[in-house]
Amino acid sequence: MSKKFQPEPFKIKAVEPMYFVDAERREKAIQEAGFNTFLIKSRDCYIDLLTDSGTSAMSDKQWAGLMIGDEAYAGSENFYHLEEVVREYFGFKHLVPTHQGRGAENILSSITIKPGDYVPGNMYFTTTRFHQERNGATFVDVICDEAHNPDMDGVPFKGNIDLNKLQKLIDEVGADKIPYICLAVTVNLAGGQPVSMANIKEVSELCHKHGIKVMYDATRCVENAYFIKEREEGFQDKTVKEILFEMFSYGDGCTMSGKKDCLTNNGGFLCLNDDDLFLEAKAMVVQYEGMPSYGGLAGRDMEAMAVGIRESVEYDYIAHRVNQIRYLGERLDAAGVPMVKPYGGHAIFLDARAFLPHLEQEQFPAQALAAAIYRSSGVRTMERGIISAGRDVKTGEHHKPKLETVRLTIPRRVYTYAHMDYVADACIELYKNASSIRGLKFEYEPKVLRFFTGRFSEI
């Protein structure tokens, strides 16, 4: 292994056994799941790359933190510790804990959006857009054009907002119709692409000039901070913690899924600077989640999240995290497997259209490829394409994103480089025989968030 790919920066002192899943069992599992990898039982997966949400391995200090959970119904000590850490690392004034990130998305959308509003963002995310549309807003994608081109390598910040697109929206609908911009750092569906500090500052200046709030989707913010340190001039000598704090200094709040960069198996929070919005958020969290000092979480979960935030900015950890994805990408790229470039911070995104050129988008190539990867190897991945994009709420037609991808999502501190080799070998072998993969059609289609529970059959 080259010097670039240093060994895992941790020792393993607790293990979960893995068992290879034979071909007969895989075939039965994918049929029973209706070719939806979300519906496969965990015990039927050999290497599970479905998501990095809630799948992290917690550290010894986090496990120790579970033992000092203050489970008081109100005023838990762990809440005040989490609040202290979030203020130190994120800089926001107010904290509202939630059971996970979509709980924070629900509250933010409900207290800020009026029917007829518009919410611009750097590419949609499934649950985020759902909450925005549920409250009467129209999502508008203002990401740079390069983000929609999977082959365009050498663009260090493909998650950047296109300021001309944003200004055009403001001019067309009026700033009073835009309660906030949703600024994702990094951009999941673009392939985990980061946003530059320069772009964050420019977006902040433009929005605040028009009285528009800047709200971050901070789910993978530490990965974004690492990419700024690695790629943006003037930040090489700054710590990841310093970069993270500066990123958020240009905004008004954030939603956070603690199940990602906070290195926990549960939890999330909403941050706000506005006092009046904070009062509304506290009133709402009581109705739907729990007291404002726990928000659907146990005290021990908040303690683990506070510890996880501190660990997440440690350079050795985050450098290994990003380089493990890079290692998998380079192995696949050497064999010609098509994917989104440059590689992101949490996953490799296979380009399903290029992988399966014989399938039309309406034949759900990404869903078919995810099913085929599991079928051939026992590796569970997930679709990020036309199925995830869903249907237009007004016309009922499929949204047809330019990116039709399969996400190979790497859990944090869970797998080793040897596991990445197995995944790479499986995908490379499948690519050689890709022409045999058949398209899919719906057997059951839920009205919303269909990628979670939809069922399919082969064409």
Side-chain angles (χ1 to χ4, degrees):
M1 185 172 293
S2 70
K3 187 177 180 181
K4 179 170 64 174
F5 300 111
Q6 293 293 318
E8 286 72 20
F10 50 81
K11 294 188 291 185
I12 299 168
K13 59 182 178 181
V15 297
E16 177 186 346
M18 292 172 55
Y19 301 100
F20 185 73
V21 183
D22 63 39
E24 182 179 355
R25 184 170 156 189
R26 297 197 302 267
E27 183 63 30
K28 180 181 178 183
I30 198 66
Q31 294 284 347
E32 289 179 347
F35 294 87
N36 186 345
T37 53
F38 273 94
L39 302 180
I40 300 171
K41 295 175 182 176
S42 173
R43 68 190 184 201
D44 289 329
C45 300
Y46 180 47
I47 294 178
D48 197 347
L49 307 185
L50 184 73
T51 182
D52 61 333
S53 179
T55 57
S56 299
M58 293 203 300
S59 70
D60 52 356
K61 292 181 176 62
Q62 285 179 293
W63 279 104
L66 295 181
M67 301 306 295
I68 56 171
D70 176 6
E71 307 306 341
Y73 188 77
S76 166
E77 284 296 315
N78 308 117
F79 166 74
Y80 294 112
H81 183 206
L82 177 61
E83 182 182 57
E84 174 191 337
V85 171
V86 169
R87 285 176 176 167
E88 178 185 349
Y89 285 76
F90 287 34
F92 294 116
K93 186 176 179 181
H94 301 298
L95 172 73
V96 180
T98 58
H99 73 285
Q100 62 181 70
R102 73 192 59 170
E105 292 172 348
N106 179 38
I107 294 173
L108 177 64
S109 298
S110 298
I111 65 177
T112 58
I113 291 172
K114 306 182 305 294
D117 279 348
Y118 294 81
V119 179
N122 48 346
M123 203 172 284
Y124 81 98
F125 184 67
T126 51
T127 59
T128 314
R129 189 177 69 188
F130 166 74
H131 288 297
Q132 292 163 356
E133 291 177 346
R134 180 174 173 270
N135 285 279
T138 298
F139 169 78
V140 181
D141 188 2
V142 292
I143 202 169
C144 64
D145 290 338
E146 293 88 341
H148 296 285
N149 187 339
D151 299 322
M152 189 171 286
D153 204 353
V155 181
F157 294 102
K158 286 171 80 172
N160 279 359
I161 296 281
D162 185 318
L163 296 175
N164 291 326
K165 291 180 183 179
L166 178 56
Q167 184 66 64
K168 182 172 182 286
L169 177 66
I170 295 170
D171 294 340
E172 288 178 353
V173 306
D176 61 324
K177 288 283 190 179
I178 305 174
Y180 64 90
I181 185 170
C182 182
L183 181 56
V185 286
T186 57
V187 184
N188 187 356
L189 293 184
Q193 301 300 319
V195 183
S196 72
M197 190 74 80
N199 188 248
I200 291 171
K201 291 172 66 175
E202 291 170 340
V203 169
S204 175
E205 290 168 2
L206 177 58
C207 286
H208 288 149
K209 183 177 75 171
H210 291 280
I212 299 168
K213 285 183 165 48
V214 176
M215 305 301 297
Y216 297 88
D217 177 348
T219 295
R220 298 179 179 88
C221 56
V222 180
E223 293 168 11
N224 200 98
Y226 176 82
F227 281 125
I228 288 174
K229 179 177 176 64
E230 186 180 60
R231 299 176 181 176
E232 192 164 358
E233 187 66 32
F235 290 92
Q236 284 76 15
D237 294 330
K238 290 184 178 291
T239 66
V240 175
K241 178 184 177 182
E242 290 169 337
I243 296 169
L244 186 70
F245 192 88
E246 182 177 342
M247 279 168 49
F248 289 133
S249 72
Y250 301 111
D252 302 287
C254 74
T255 58
M256 182 70 175
S257 171
K259 300 168 71 173
K260 282 85 166 179
D261 269 356
C262 295
L263 303 172
T264 54
N265 307 127
N266 195 31
F269 51 80
L270 170 66
C271 289
L272 296 163
N273 284 335
D274 186 287
D275 295 340
D276 293 333
L277 281 180
F278 174 58
L279 290 176
E280 289 187 61
K282 282 206 301 182
M284 189 172 177
V285 80
V286 170
Q287 299 173 49
Y288 292 99
E289 301 262 350
M291 283 289 288
S293 58
Y294 75 87
L297 293 173
R300 56 184 174 269
D301 295 326
M302 291 187 285
E303 186 65 26
M305 195 152 44
V307 176
I309 291 171
R310 293 189 186 280
E311 294 180 351
S312 70
V313 300
E314 293 174 0
Y315 182 80
D316 286 347
Y317 153 73
I318 189 59
H320 171 266
R321 163 77 176 152
V322 173
N323 277 312
Q324 192 175 48
I325 280 84
R326 191 170 290 157
Y327 176 81
L328 175 59
E330 290 187 6
R331 283 240 27 222
L332 294 170
D333 191 41
V337 177
M339 71 196 85
V340 174
K341 295 178 183 176
Y343 315 127
H346 70 292
I348 290 297
F349 287 70
L350 302 180
D351 182 352
R353 282 178 165 175
F355 203 112
L356 304 176
H358 59 288
L359 296 184
E360 300 294 328
Q361 193 170 23
E362 291 80 1
Q363 295 175 309
F364 310 147
Q367 190 73 39
L369 179 55
I373 291 170
Y374 172 78
R375 207 177 201 174
S376 66
S377 65
V379 175
R380 176 158 64 167
T381 61
M382 71 168 296
E383 181 267 2
R384 278 302 186 215
I386 189 172
I387 303 298
S388 291
R391 294 182 181 270
D392 187 290
V393 293
K394 295 178 181 177
T395 68
E397 296 296 317
H398 291 295
H399 287 296
K400 294 182 179 178
K402 293 180 180 179
L403 291 179
E404 183 76 18
T405 65
V406 170
R407 192 180 76 180
L408 281 61
T409 335
I410 314 304
R412 296 162 180 80
R413 304 189 296 203
V414 172
Y415 294 118
T416 67
Y417 285 112
H419 294 112
M420 297 303 100
D421 284 331
Y422 178 86
V423 173
D425 290 342
C427 292
I428 292 167
E429 187 62 30
L430 186 63
Y431 184 54
K432 295 175 183 177
N433 300 285
S435 61
S436 64
I437 297 174
R438 294 156 62 186
L440 299 174
K441 61 181 179 180
F442 267 114
E443 291 294 333
Y444 164 66
E445 181 183 357
K447 290 184 179 180
V448 296
L449 300 175
R450 59 190 186 174
F451 64 94
F452 281 128
T453 58
R455 300 183 67 86
F456 308 85
S457 61
E458 289 184 300
I459 296 172

